[in-house]
């Protein structure tokens, strides 16, 4: 296929693509979600399955997504159309693009609410609310926030405006400088937190919880959650990475680039776990406390360490920023499509996307208070969105992407676009996207649905 041009601009270098894609990958998924689902799913064994999913399924699928984006050089929907046309595939494959756009909306709607919690905590930290705080007080502050739809709405609104302000300008501008400073800063702060955790009584217990697997605690549902989270944390299966790949200049090995992103993402998640679990055990908290885990543990640490107000404020600023660079990528696939196919300018497209996601987000806000008792299959509105997107839509999208890149696209084109440096690794990748990853995803799905009686 002939090399296409992107109308949305290109990243200025491979390194900026890595930063942007890492900015997309590293977010609430790593710092907020990974620790609490690890806590809910029993620790070590879950972490092991999650790591296996990243290596065996996540990385290969991500390579596929980047390659498809770079070959199509458009929004995921139009990239799919171009690739289908060029390879003579069935038009129904464009569903990958549509499902991804929908998943992006749904995720953005609740992501913005949770990121709003982080924004709120910046100011709580700054005010000294957590000085010498106890676990009990930290729990009360968090409970107070969840019970207050007005405050939740305010910060949800602020975060959504921040997101749209960037996408309206175009992601390849603006974002680049910010990411290259703030991502490393977040990392340094996590190391400081790990240092603090290391000195606490619960450190050994925290590490044991994270890294010593007890498979008796693992259910098939936990495996479904681990697989879903591998997709969520790498921003896979909904076109975000495809959209960013569309702006990747040619001339670089995609495999190496992707492995770098996946390693950075995993390191941040593990660091967050290592900072949080020692505090959980030192303070007799419950590892399975759920979505509030981050917000109920770290304030205790910040409240009781020297310079805690400063570090705590900085930490939540950086978490908000990590969430920001992810939410931008959630909006980008649909943004690019509105610009290409509906003739909107980026500003109008941004307002439209932001407004729809904002309205949907109201459901998540209410699911923590007014609607807390309204449940479908024992799940609140927020739980349902989270489960539907991360555990069903993203893995399904990933499955289709693997199948498309391996079975529909001409393999010599794909190989050329990958700029393969190592023949053996290329062969291993081909086998994985052709057979291994799709079979593994289907297997996990079927077991998760309880179709097989192995569970
Ligand atoms: N990867 C992001 C995180 O871990 C979330 C995300 C999912 C972003 C899908 C884009 C697409 O927070």
């Amino acid at each position: 296929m002939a090399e296409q041009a992107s109308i949305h601009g290109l990243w200025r270098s491979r390194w900026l693509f890595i930063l942007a894609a890492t900015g997309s990958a590293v977010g609430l998924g790593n710092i907020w979600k990974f620790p609490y689902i690890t806590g809910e799913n029993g620790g070590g064994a879950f972490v092991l399955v999650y790591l296996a999913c990243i290596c065996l399924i996540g990385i290969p699928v991500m390579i596929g997504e980047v390659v498809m984006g770079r070959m199509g050089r458009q929004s995921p929907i139009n990239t799919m159309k171009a690739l289908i046309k060029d390879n003579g595939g069935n038009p129904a494959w464009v569903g990958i693009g549509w499902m991804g756009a929908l998943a992006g909306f749904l995720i953005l709607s609740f992501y913005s609410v949770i990121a709003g919690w982080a924004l709120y905590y910046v100011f709580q930290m700054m005010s000294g609310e957590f000085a010498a705080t106890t676990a009990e007080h930290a729990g009360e502050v968090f409970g107070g926030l969840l019970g207050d739809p007005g405050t939740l709405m305010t910060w949800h609104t602020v975060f959504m405006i921040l997101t749209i302000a960037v996408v309206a300008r175009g992601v390849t501008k603006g974002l680049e400088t910010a990411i290259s400073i703030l991502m490393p800063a977040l990392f340094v702060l996590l190391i400081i937190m790990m240092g603090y955790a290391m000195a606490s009584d619960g450190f050994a217990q925290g590490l044991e919880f994270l890294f010593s697997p007890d498979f008796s605690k693992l259910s098939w549902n936990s495996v479904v959650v681990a697989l879903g989270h591998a997709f969520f944390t790498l921003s896979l299966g909904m076109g975000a990475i495809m959209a960013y790949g569309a702006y990747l200049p040619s001339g670089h090995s995609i495999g190496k680039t992707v492995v770098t992103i996946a390693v950075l993402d995993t390191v941040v998640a593990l660091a967050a776990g290592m900072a949080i679990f020692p505090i959980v055990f030192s303070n007799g908290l419950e590892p399975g406390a759920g979505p509030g885990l981050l917000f109920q543990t770290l304030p205790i640490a910040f409240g009781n360490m020297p310079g805690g107000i400063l570090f705590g404020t900085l930490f939540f600023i950086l978490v908000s920023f990590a969430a920001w660079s992810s939410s931008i990528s959630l909006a980008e696939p649909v943004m690019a499509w509105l610009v290409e196919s509906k003739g909107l300018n980026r500003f109008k497209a941004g307002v439209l996307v932001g407004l729809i996601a904002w309205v949907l987000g109201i459901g998540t806000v209410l699911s923590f208070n007014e609607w807390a008792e309204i449940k479908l299959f024992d799940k609140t509105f927020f739980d349902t969105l989270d489960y539907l997107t991360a555990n069903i839509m993203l893995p399904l999208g990933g499955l289709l992407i693997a199948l498309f890149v391996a079975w529909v696209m001409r393999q010599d084109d794909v190989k050329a676009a990958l700029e393969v440096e190592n023949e053996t690794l290329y062969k291993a990748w081909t086998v994985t996207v052709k057979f291994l990853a799709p079979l593994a995803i289907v297997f996990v799905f079927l077991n998760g649905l309880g179709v097989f009686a192995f569970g």
Side-chain angles (χ1 to χ4, degrees):
M1 173 167 169
E3 175 86 27
Q4 305 268 328
S6 160
I7 62 164
H8 309 283
L10 289 181
W11 307 108
R12 271 182 284 117
S13 68
R14 173 182 101 111
W15 188 236
L16 278 168
F17 170 77
I18 293 185
L19 276 174
T22 309
S24 165
V26 174
L28 296 172
N30 308 60
I31 302 164
W32 160 74
K33 193 173 180 190
F34 170 73
Y36 93 74
I37 57 175
T38 298
E40 286 179 340
N41 290 283
F46 175 82
V47 174
L48 210 63
V49 175
Y50 155 78
L51 292 175
C53 290
I54 295 273
C55 297
L56 297 177
I57 301 172
I59 292 177
V61 170
M62 195 171 194
I63 293 177
E65 228 186 288
V66 175
V67 157
M68 286 164 65
R70 202 174 73 178
M71 292 178 78
R73 288 257 187 257
Q74 298 166 70
S75 65
I77 293 171
N78 287 329
T79 285
M80 286 311 304
K81 286 190 183 151
L83 294 177
I84 291 164
K85 190 158 164 249
D86 198 63
N87 292 281
N90 187 315
W93 285 104
V94 76
I96 294 178
W98 288 111
M99 187 173 69
L102 179 63
F105 264 118
L106 299 179
I107 298 174
L108 181 59
S109 78
F110 70 77
Y111 206 83
S112 168
V113 175
I114 314 288
W117 300 356
L119 285 175
Y120 173 79
Y121 267 66
V122 170
F123 294 94
Q124 291 299 304
M125 278 289 161
M126 217 188 278
S127 73
E129 172 74 41
F130 293 112
T133 195
T134 56
E136 204 188 349
H137 179 66
E140 278 167 17
V141 173
F142 183 70
L145 171 64
L146 289 197
D148 178 359
T151 308
L152 292 174
M153 275 313 291
T154 306
W155 294 107
H156 164 48
T157 309
V158 171
F159 187 81
M160 194 61 85
I161 292 173
L162 287 173
T163 301
I164 295 312
V166 175
V167 282
R169 283 203 196 110
V171 288
T172 54
K173 306 192 186 103
L175 196 63
E176 292 183 338
T177 6
I179 300 181
S180 42
I181 302 166
L182 291 161
M183 293 301 298
L186 173 69
F187 200 61
V188 171
L189 228 79
L190 273 174
I191 307 248
I192 297 180
M193 291 312 292
M194 267 165 60
Y196 176 86
M198 225 177 273
S200 75
D201 319 329
F203 190 63
Q205 213 183 335
L207 281 198
E208 190 184 320
F209 181 77
L210 269 177
F211 296 117
S212 100
D214 172 357
F215 283 94
S216 69
K217 290 188 186 151
L218 201 71
S219 64
W220 270 109
N221 188 54
S222 300
V223 178
V224 172
V225 174
L227 175 69
H229 189 63
F231 280 95
F232 185 84
T233 192
L234 292 175
S235 307
L236 285 184
M238 51 76 59
I241 291 297
M242 203 186 289
Y244 276 16
Y247 315 145
L248 174 66
S250 310
H252 306 286
S253 150
I254 291 180
K256 257 197 218 156
T257 309
V258 164
V259 170
T260 312
I261 298 163
V263 168
L264 288 172
D265 185 77
T266 306
V267 168
V268 173
L270 294 178
M274 282 160 75
I276 288 172
F277 284 108
I279 302 171
V280 169
F281 293 112
S282 307
N283 290 280
L285 295 168
E286 197 32 67
L293 189 68
L294 165 74
F295 299 91
Q296 287 168 311
T297 52
L298 291 192
I300 308 174
F302 289 123
N304 294 288
M305 72 201 242
I309 291 193
L310 177 71
F311 286 134
T313 307
L314 209 61
F315 179 80
F316 283 102
I317 291 178
L318 294 172
V319 171
S320 308
F321 189 82
W324 196 15
S325 59
S326 301
S327 63
I328 290 164
S329 71
L330 283 163
E332 184 57 19
V334 92
M335 283 287 299
W337 176 73
L338 286 171
V339 171
E340 288 163 6
S341 294
K342 295 287 145 199
L344 296 190
N345 62 32
R346 286 200 72 104
F347 180 77
K348 282 200 189 129
V351 172
L352 185 66
V353 171
L355 211 61
I356 298 176
W358 181 81
V359 171
L360 263 174
I362 298 174
T364 293
V365 164
L366 294 177
S367 71
F368 293 108
N369 36 70
E370 314 288 335
W371 292 359
E373 297 314 317
I374 305 180
K375 290 186 178 166
L376 190 71
F377 299 113
D378 207 28
K379 287 182 164 47
T380 63
F381 184 83
F382 160 71
D383 295 333
T384 308
L385 273 192
D386 173 46
Y387 200 91
L388 176 70
T389 51
N391 301 344
I392 298 172
M393 293 174 88
L394 300 185
L396 186 61
L399 169 67
L400 295 175
I401 286 168
L403 293 176
F404 187 84
V405 84
W407 295 98
V408 180
M409 293 182 67
R410 273 190 303 276
Q411 294 308 295
D412 32 342
D413 281 356
V414 172
K415 190 174 177 192
L418 278 172
E419 309 197 23
V420 173
E421 288 178 356
N422 180 318
E423 197 63 31
T424 321
L425 286 179
Y426 168 72
K427 289 241 166 66
W429 176 76
T430 314
V431 174
T432 311
V433 275
K434 267 206 162 114
F435 306 105
L436 209 65
L439 287 173
I441 296 170
V442 170
F443 184 75
V444 172
F445 265 156
L446 292 181
N447 281 291
L449 288 173
V451 171
F452 293 158
F454 297 154

